[in-house]
Amino acid sequence: MRFSIIASLFALAASTAVAQYTNQSAPFELVLLSQNPTINGSKLIACHEGAGIEAACRGGSIATSGPGFSTFQFNTSIYSVPTNESAGVTGYLTYELRGFNFNESEPMVLSVDPVSNVALPIFSPSYFATEVAFDREGLMNIQGYVDDRTIPISTTMIYVAYYRWFVCSTYYSGYRYQALTWVLGEFPPENPSCVKVQVKRVFV
Ligand SMILES: *[C@@H]1O[C@H](CO)[C@@H](O)[C@H](O)[C@H]1NC(C)=O
Ligand SMILES: *[C@@H]1O[C@H](CO)[C@@H](O)[C@H](O)[C@H]1NC(C)=O
Ligand SMILES: *[C@@H]1O[C@H](CO)[C@@H](O)[C@H](O)[C@H]1NC(C)=O
Ligand SMILES: *[C@@H]1O[C@H](CO)[C@@H](O)[C@H](O)[C@H]1NC(C)=O
Ligand SMILES: *[C@@H]1O[C@H](CO)[C@@H](O)[C@H](O)[C@H]1NC(C)=O
């Protein structure tokens, strides 16, 4: 009984936390910056990975009848305050899936395959999200305060921004795309197709 009360309190806390990310930015495009001239300047476009699931593909790498890029939004909560002003406040990167008779705001979550260090950002109707931020230059980052590369593990009072974005050939539930990825940890991506990128927010 006691356990179930605690469990339901957690469930309540979790759902409240999700419901609070409702301060939504204006739509923006996500532009790739890279030393690779083919990739540099490309925009990200949502691409189908299954029912209601999208990855962020490199525009120009997939055929489309539309404009070749998607717009995204950034949702924060009233509790979102930057601990590091230059790195930016954290929140949800969202994509609005337009259905025949519905619109669904989907948060980005990193899909992690335990046998690879290359994680795939996907958008889906999920209660789970991976928080991102946009720094002073508009570059998308993921922040952390724990560094387990040291003994003892070190922590910082202020969040540190990481920019571990790559564009790689990806495989997810049967679909193969050239898509945005995030590399887990400090080592290079094990996927040899990966090209280093920065992801810049440009308001439309
Ligand atoms: C983002 O904010 C908008 C506006 O409040 C809201 O309708 C939408 O559900 C939010 N999206 C997510 C994934 O929380
Ligand atoms: C990438 O494109 C930007 C403009 O979109 C340009 O300023 C920059 O020099 C380019 N970088 C490379 C390596 O080509
Ligand atoms: C919502 O976000 C905007 C920036 O996108 C900010 O200026 C505003 O203060 C935020 N409002 C609340 C209630 O957090
Ligand atoms: C979805 O959003 C678009 C653009 O805002 C709007 O035109 C359309 O009516 C919406 N559809 C539904 C079912 O709400
Ligand atoms: C704030 O974030 C930037 C970018 O990650 C980092 O260079 C800087 O060290 C951070 N500031 C502090 C005080 O940690």
Coordinates of all heavy atoms in Angstrom, one line a residue, residues 96-104, ligand 4:
E96 N 5.7 18.9 -34.6 CA 4.3 18.7 -34.7 C 3.9 17.8 -35.8 O 4.1 18.2 -37.0 CB 3.5 20.0 -34.8 CG 2.0 19.8 -34.6 CD 1.3 21.1 -34.4 OE1 1.2 21.6 -33.2 OE2 0.8 21.7 -35.4
L97 N 3.5 16.6 -35.5 CA 3.1 15.7 -36.5 C 1.6 16.0 -36.9 O 0.7 16.1 -36.1 CB 3.1 14.2 -35.9 CG 2.6 13.1 -36.9 CD1 3.6 13.0 -38.1 CD2 2.5 11.8 -36.1
R98 N 1.5 16.3 -38.2 CA 0.1 16.6 -38.8 C -0.5 15.3 -39.3 O 0.0 14.8 -40.3 CB 0.3 17.6 -39.9 CG 1.0 18.9 -39.5 CD -0.1 20.0 -39.2 NE 0.5 21.0 -38.4 CZ 1.1 22.1 -38.9 NH1 1.2 22.3 -40.2 NH2 1.6 23.0 -38.1
G99 N -1.6 14.9 -38.6 CA -2.3 13.7 -39.1 C -3.5 14.2 -39.9 O -3.7 15.4 -40.1
F100 N -4.3 13.2 -40.4 CA -5.5 13.6 -41.2 C -6.4 14.4 -40.3 O -7.0 15.4 -40.8 CB -6.1 12.3 -41.7 CG -7.4 12.5 -42.4 CD1 -7.4 13.3 -43.6 CD2 -8.6 12.0 -41.9 CE1 -8.6 13.5 -44.2 CE2 -9.8 12.3 -42.6 CZ -9.8 13.0 -43.7
N101 N -6.7 14.0 -39.1 CA -7.6 14.7 -38.2 C -7.0 15.0 -36.8 O -7.8 15.0 -35.9 CB -8.9 13.9 -38.1 CG -8.7 12.5 -37.7 OD1 -7.6 12.1 -37.4 ND2 -9.8 11.7 -37.5
F102 N -5.7 15.1 -36.8 CA -5.1 15.4 -35.5 C -3.8 16.1 -35.7 O -3.2 15.9 -36.8 CB -4.9 14.1 -34.6 CG -3.8 13.2 -35.2 CD1 -2.5 13.3 -34.8 CD2 -4.2 12.3 -36.2 CE1 -1.5 12.5 -35.4 CE2 -3.2 11.5 -36.7 CZ -1.9 11.6 -36.3
N103 N -3.3 16.8 -34.7 CA -2.0 17.4 -34.7 C -1.4 16.9 -33.3 O -2.0 17.0 -32.3 CB -2.0 18.9 -34.7 CG -2.4 19.4 -36.1 OD1 -2.2 18.8 -37.1 ND2 -2.9 20.6 -36.1
E104 N -0.2 16.4 -33.4 CA 0.4 15.9 -32.1 C 1.8 16.5 -32.0 O 2.7 16.3 -32.8 CB 0.5 14.3 -32.2 CG 1.3 13.7 -31.1 CD 0.4 13.4 -29.9 OE1 -0.9 13.4 -30.0 OE2 1.0 13.2 -28.8
Ligands
LIG4 C1 -3.3 21.2 -37.4 O1 -2.5 22.4 -37.5 C2 -2.7 23.1 -38.7 C3 -1.8 24.3 -38.7 O2 -1.8 25.0 -37.6 C4 -4.1 23.5 -38.9 O3 -4.3 24.2 -40.1 C5 -5.0 22.3 -38.8 O4 -6.4 22.7 -38.8 C6 -4.7 21.5 -37.5 N1 -5.5 20.3 -37.5 C7 -6.3 19.9 -36.5 C8 -7.0 18.6 -36.7 O5 -6.3 20.5 -35.5

